[in-house]
Amino acid sequence: MLYTKVPCIFENQPIQDYKFLIQCDDELYNRKPIDGSAVYLLNPSLEGYDSLESVFETIFTKINIQPADFNEWHESTSLTNSRLLQLVNMLGSNFKLNPEYMFTSGDLYTGVSDAPGVPDRCVVGYNRLDQNSIVASFSQTSPFIHAAFMQEYPNQQFHMIYNLSVLPEACINDGVFDLEVPLDFVTEDPEDLRKWIAMLSIEVWQNSSDFKYNCVVTLTSFAFNMRAISDRYDTKSVPNLYDTNDPNSTNQDPTNPGGSGDGDTNSDRIPVPVLPDDDMTASGSVRIYELSVGELTAFMNYLHSPNWTEAIIKTWQNPIQGVVSLHYLPYPMVPKGGSEQITILGVPAGVGANGTPVNQWQTINFGYCFIGTVKNNYLDYAPYTKVQIYLPGIGIRDLNADDVINKWVKVQYNCDNVTGQFVAFILVGPTKADTDMSVKYTFSGCVAAPFPISQNNWGNTYIAAATLAAGALAGGVATAGNAVAASGSGAGAASAAGAAGETEGALFNAGAVAKRTTNIGNSLTSLAKPSITRAGTVSGTTSLFGVRAPYMIIERPNVQDFKDFNKIKGYACGKTFKLSDLSGYTEVERIHLTGLRATATEINEIERLLEGGVML
Amino acid sequence: MSFNVSIGYTTSDKNALDKNYTELVSLSGTLINDTNVVNPSILLKCSAEDIAKANYMKVDNFGRDYFINDIMALTEGTCVVTAHVDVLSTYKNQIRANTGVIARQENKWNLYIDDDLFKVDSRTIIQTKQFSGGGSFTVHPHIALVLVG
């Protein structure tokens, strides 16, 4: 997701960057025509568009303007002072959320008019940034928009236009805004409304003591004020634009010395990839069967028939060369047809040598597991809570507690029945809904247990098993090293682990122990407990003996509850408060006392007491 | 120069801004030389027994409240009270008007901030949780045969 600041442009004013996000409902984005029929935009620059009423209904609700008031070109409606204030407050309160981007009133009203008597021509608005947010932007209206109003209301004293716009992300990101909606544009695809841009202008002005407002919807490509933004939003002419998405950017945002990011904490969902839409069996040259034990016996009898006549024929025919693989899999394969007689190199394998053709790829869903919190505090998360997952055919893997705590975890395998290899996807989400689940971890493994069909084949199987055992042994040695390292302390742990050949990991462990000790003193000594590997590699033949379903292992600190601890010592706060807003036990971390006619000695004592804890 | 001294006692927490106060007696006192308003020694015309139960006093002329540190009898009918200013009570209104970064609080907290005061039992809680709503590998192995040709 690329977030880029939207520049604020005022005529005769330097370009400034302004940015903040407000949340809005999906309806703004997922807008569709009300009647569900084709969308006709005829001469859109001159008329409003009914279907977009739903688009802005949310906005109307927020600013307390009824939809019924909407969508009449240049039709004014009286706006009471209170409603105007609600409108201004709604927009203004959002500015207060990010005061560093807040407009000063002076800037807001410094637009210079080409038309005499037009006091204010500045526009404040929002541009859509993604599905859940729109970004504030500011623009400037051209004088002739106001000309009609000026003739009708020559005594107007206040004039402001709010533009609430829906823009394609690309427009905001790269500033390119060359979209031209053709007249008589016709589409049946509601998605087109995402491409073609719409804008709601809410124009507010004051005539003597009456406030008026006017709502207009146009296509933004015909809205010159938004075009003005794009015209001016040219990266070549604005070299100091700060790209928050470019870690190599050396451009410093002149208005933002730091401490305020773009507020982007959203994530894009990563779904499990669908299985390949074609496999080896598609050509017919490769066939995969699932066999029962009886069918296997019949097939083996065919291969190793004691009949010497058949043996002579097979010496010439050599059907065993047609066998690519014969192996156990610990799951039922998905059939693609009924049982049929096996043919090998074009020759039927004999009576009873049947098999059920199966697909090469398939998915196994192992279900869901919710990892809750226990204390609803920081100890529920890493590094204090440790989470591991056992995956059949793989073994145990570490998970970051921050990824999975208070979330649903789903395990799904995408398997290849020819080789027994698979990819295990661990999805995490706030709910079990597929639309909320996102892939967080991916591991691979193999669960095929080779079935020997000749001496040569068995030899390969034995070598593979021996290799696997050696690997497991090496893993065990490394595990021992880790355990020694984790149970030691400081440099000793590091050196012990280094001797075990796990230098990098052990240094990390030692560092982690030191860090925890620094952070939390001696209170949470359990954090220094060793991390023990609970399982080695469980794959291939060994997967047949391993636990057959995934499970989670959660290690949680056993926190002791103190009654009324908050009244005695308080809990960590970490926020700024006016002390009169607080009551009870309070420790102040930093304060600069003002307004006291006390001696320096007394002020120092007050600061010391506040830092030590007082009862407010 | 003499001034009025309200002698009494408080049972409030020493670190409380608002202290309950019960006056025992109101007396006229004088500041002894070489002392100051922060740590005053005040000569009072009373017997030590009259104010023996006092631990707190207020001096309006100084605009301050004090913790009584000691009461010494000089002669019969005169005693000296040494005290230390209670800055929290004296300046409580001004203190409350200030804004600060709060480290710990009784009622407003964020338990997701690291807190080294939490005590953890070494007997770690270890949980295992199964998955539900899905399949698993089967006890019965399934035989896969892959052929070419």
Side-chain angles (χ1 to χ4, degrees):
Chain A
M1 193 69 68
L2 182 63
Y3 284 78
T4 307
K5 295 178 180 177
V6 178
C8 165
I9 302 169
F10 288 97
E11 201 168 72
N12 300 327
Q13 296 287 323
I15 293 175
Q16 301 173 60
D17 289 345
Y18 290 91
K19 171 199 64 130
F20 70 87
L21 302 175
I22 66 171
Q23 299 296 315
C24 61
D25 297 335
D26 286 348
E27 185 181 5
L28 278 172
Y29 194 78
N30 298 320
R31 58 193 184 281
K32 295 177 181 177
I34 289 176
D35 57 6
S37 59
V39 178
Y40 296 93
L41 302 177
L42 302 175
N43 195 9
S45 64
L46 296 178
E47 65 182 36
Y49 185 57
D50 287 339
S51 295
L52 292 178
E53 182 173 334
S54 62
V55 175
F56 297 107
E57 190 170 346
T58 303
I59 297 176
F60 286 137
T61 303
K62 286 187 176 182
I63 62 180
N64 198 28
I65 293 176
Q66 300 304 315
D69 299 334
F70 162 72
N71 201 33
E72 290 295 332
W73 175 256
H74 281 196
E75 180 171 305
S76 304
T77 305
S78 292
L79 188 68
T80 64
N81 283 340
S82 62
R83 292 181 76 186
L84 175 66
L85 285 176
Q86 285 174 343
L87 175 62
V88 173
N89 286 339
M90 189 280 292
L91 296 167
S93 63
N94 289 316
F95 298 159
K96 293 173 185 175
L97 296 176
N98 278 316
E100 63 268 33
Y101 294 119
M102 185 177 176
F103 249 119
T104 63
S105 59
D107 287 337
L108 188 58
Y109 301 111
T110 52
V112 178
S113 171
D114 294 335
V118 179
D120 303 303
R121 299 181 300 104
C122 300
V123 176
V124 56
Y126 304 91
N127 293 335
R128 165 156 301 287
L129 197 56
D130 60 27
Q131 185 170 353
N132 297 313
S133 56
I134 51 180
V135 63
S137 67
F138 304 84
S139 62
Q140 171 183 331
T141 60
S142 291
F144 69 84
I145 267 192
H146 306 284
F149 299 143
M150 286 303 300
Q151 291 175 3
E152 188 174 356
Y153 304 107
N155 297 323
Q156 65 169 303
Q157 299 165 4
F158 172 91
H159 198 151
M160 183 179 289
I161 296 178
Y162 298 93
N163 283 342
L164 297 105
S165 306
V166 180
L167 295 177
E169 191 172 305
C171 172
I172 299 173
N173 289 339
D174 55 30
V176 176
F177 190 64
D178 55 0
L179 197 62
E180 287 292 342
V181 180
L183 295 178
D184 303 325
F185 169 71
V186 177
T187 178
E188 295 184 357
D189 183 5
E191 284 293 309
D192 281 331
L193 282 179
R194 299 186 180 184
K195 304 171 190 172
W196 307 106
I197 309 158
M199 179 182 73
L200 165 68
S201 292
I202 302 174
E203 200 161 4
V204 181
W205 69 98
Q206 181 183 18
N207 181 36
S208 299
S209 60
D210 296 329
F211 287 93
K212 305 280 188 180
Y213 78 93
N214 179 48
C215 297
V216 180
V217 168
T218 62
L219 286 185
T220 314
S221 56
F222 290 84
F224 46 84
N225 51 342
M226 300 309 290
R227 179 174 297 189
I229 281 185
S230 65
D231 290 343
R232 299 289 293 274
Y233 186 47
D234 180 350
T235 54
K236 292 178 181 176
S237 61
V238 192
N240 279 332
L241 277 179
Y242 175 65
D243 185 358
T244 56
N245 204 45
D246 180 6
N248 300 315
S249 173
T250 56
N251 294 329
Q252 177 64 45
D253 175 10
T255 64
N256 180 7
S260 56
D262 59 9
D264 178 12
T265 57
N266 295 321
S267 293
D268 294 328
R269 191 176 78 85
I270 311 297
V272 172
V274 297
L275 293 172
D277 56 5
D278 229 342
D279 64 20
M280 292 180 185
T281 63
S283 67
S285 60
V286 175
R287 281 161 291 126
I288 313 168
Y289 294 103
E290 179 170 352
L291 276 60
S292 66
V293 173
E295 291 167 340
L296 176 63
T297 302
F299 180 71
M300 295 301 279
N301 286 340
Y302 166 73
L303 288 181
H304 305 292
S305 168
N307 184 304
W308 65 274
T309 306
E310 287 189 5
I312 291 173
I313 296 173
K314 286 173 188 164
T315 301
W316 167 71
Q317 199 178 37
N318 200 8
I320 203 167
Q321 286 193 348
V323 179
V324 175
S325 177
L326 179 63
H327 51 262
Y328 281 129
L329 290 175
Y331 55 84
M333 287 157 273
V334 177
K336 59 187 298 187
S339 178
E340 63 185 30
Q341 187 180 38
I342 296 171
T343 58
I344 182 167
L345 295 177
V347 178
V351 177
N354 296 338
T356 303
V358 297
N359 290 316
Q360 181 181 4
W361 324 117
Q362 71 177 73
T363 292
I364 301 175
N365 176 15
F366 286 97
Y368 305 87
C369 182
F370 183 76
I371 313 298
T373 57
V374 170
K375 294 292 185 181
N376 276 333
N377 62 29
Y378 73 102
L379 292 170
D380 282 327
Y381 295 87
Y384 311 103
T385 293
K386 301 168 186 172
V387 179
Q388 294 177 309
I389 187 170
Y390 170 81
L391 297 166
I394 293 179
I396 289 182
R397 293 290 182 269
D398 290 331
L399 303 181
N400 184 347
D402 294 346
D403 280 336
V404 298
I405 292 295
N406 211 22
K407 293 189 174 68
W408 286 92
V409 178
K410 178 184 180 183
V411 173
Q412 180 175 323
Y413 284 10
N414 281 1
C415 305
D416 175 10
N417 293 331
V418 170
T419 64
Q421 293 182 314
F422 65 87
V423 174
F425 296 100
I426 299 177
L427 297 95
V428 179
T431 74
K432 289 197 288 187
D434 283 343
T435 51
D436 284 339
M437 286 277 184
S438 183
V439 173
K440 281 287 195 297
Y441 297 88
T442 303
F443 300 107
S444 62
C446 182
V447 289
F451 195 104
I453 55 175
S454 70
Q455 185 182 17
N456 181 54
N457 184 271
W458 173 249
N460 291 338
T461 302
Y462 177 79
I463 292 170
T467 305
L468 186 67
L473 182 63
V477 171
T479 302
N482 271 337
V484 169
S487 60
S489 62
S495 70
E502 293 283 318
T503 308
E504 186 178 350
L507 284 175
F508 171 79
N509 285 343
V513 170
K515 177 175 177 289
R516 291 162 186 164
T517 304
T518 301
N519 282 348
I520 57 177
N522 295 321
S523 301
L524 301 180
T525 51
S526 66
L527 285 172
K529 289 190 173 184
S531 295
I532 301 298
T533 301
R534 298 178 183 274
T537 304
V538 182
S539 67
T541 305
T542 56
S543 65
L544 297 177
F545 313 130
V547 177
R548 296 182 175 90
Y551 59 89
M552 307 288 295
I553 305 169
I554 307 114
E555 292 185 31
R556 301 179 187 273
N558 189 358
V559 185
Q560 299 303 290
D561 292 323
F562 299 116
K563 189 174 187 299
D564 293 336
F565 186 75
N566 60 318
K567 295 180 179 177
I568 300 169
K569 189 60 180 173
Y571 289 134
C573 177
K575 289 184 179 177
T576 300
F577 281 107
K578 189 177 183 181
L579 299 189
S580 60
D581 294 335
L582 301 173
S583 63
Y585 182 82
T586 305
E587 284 182 22
V588 177
E589 188 168 321
R590 293 284 186 276
I591 194 167
H592 299 290
L593 289 172
T594 58
L596 280 74
R597 283 192 288 180
T599 66
T601 303
E602 290 175 315
I603 290 176
N604 290 338
E605 182 174 351
I606 294 170
E607 289 180 346
R608 181 177 56 80
L609 290 170
L610 290 174
E611 290 172 6
V614 300
M615 302 295 292
L616 291 176
Chain B
M1 183 189 76
S2 63
F3 47 84
N4 282 333
V5 180
S6 171
I7 305 287
Y9 63 88
T10 180
T11 57
S12 296
D13 190 314
K14 183 179 179 182
N15 290 336
L17 270 67
D18 298 306
K19 292 184 171 65
N20 60 46
Y21 176 69
T22 303
E23 184 181 82
L24 293 174
V25 62
S26 181
L27 301 169
S28 177
T30 55
L31 195 63
I32 293 180
N33 288 341
D34 296 331
T35 63
N36 55 55
V37 294
V38 175
N39 296 293
S41 293
I42 299 173
L43 181 65
L44 299 172
K45 292 189 175 179
C46 67
S47 66
E49 290 80 8
D50 294 339
I51 58 174
K53 294 181 180 177
N55 66 359
Y56 205 77
M57 69 181 192
K58 295 174 181 280
V59 180
D60 288 343
N61 285 44
F62 296 168
R64 286 173 168 85
D65 303 337
Y66 294 90
F67 295 111
I68 293 177
N69 290 336
D70 200 5
I71 300 171
M72 293 183 298
L74 288 185
T75 62
E76 189 169 348
T78 60
C79 61
V80 173
V81 173
T82 58
H84 177 71
V85 65
D86 178 4
V87 290
L88 295 179
S89 176
T90 301
Y91 301 105
K92 60 185 179 185
N93 293 332
Q94 296 92 320
I95 290 173
R96 284 197 169 101
N98 278 268
T99 298
V101 180
I102 309 303
R104 307 188 68 84
Q105 226 287 316
E106 178 176 332
N107 301 307
K108 294 185 178 179
W109 62 69
N110 179 357
L111 292 181
Y112 293 102
I113 295 175
D114 270 13
D115 190 342
D116 59 4
L117 295 185
F118 277 71
K119 300 297 182 187
V120 175
D121 193 311
S122 64
R123 293 166 291 185
T124 305
I125 301 169
I126 300 178
Q127 299 172 281
T128 52
K129 286 188 174 291
Q130 292 185 330
F131 284 66
S132 61
S136 70
F137 285 170
T138 57
V139 176
H140 174 69
H142 299 264
I143 303 164
L145 173 64
V146 184
L147 302 174
V148 294

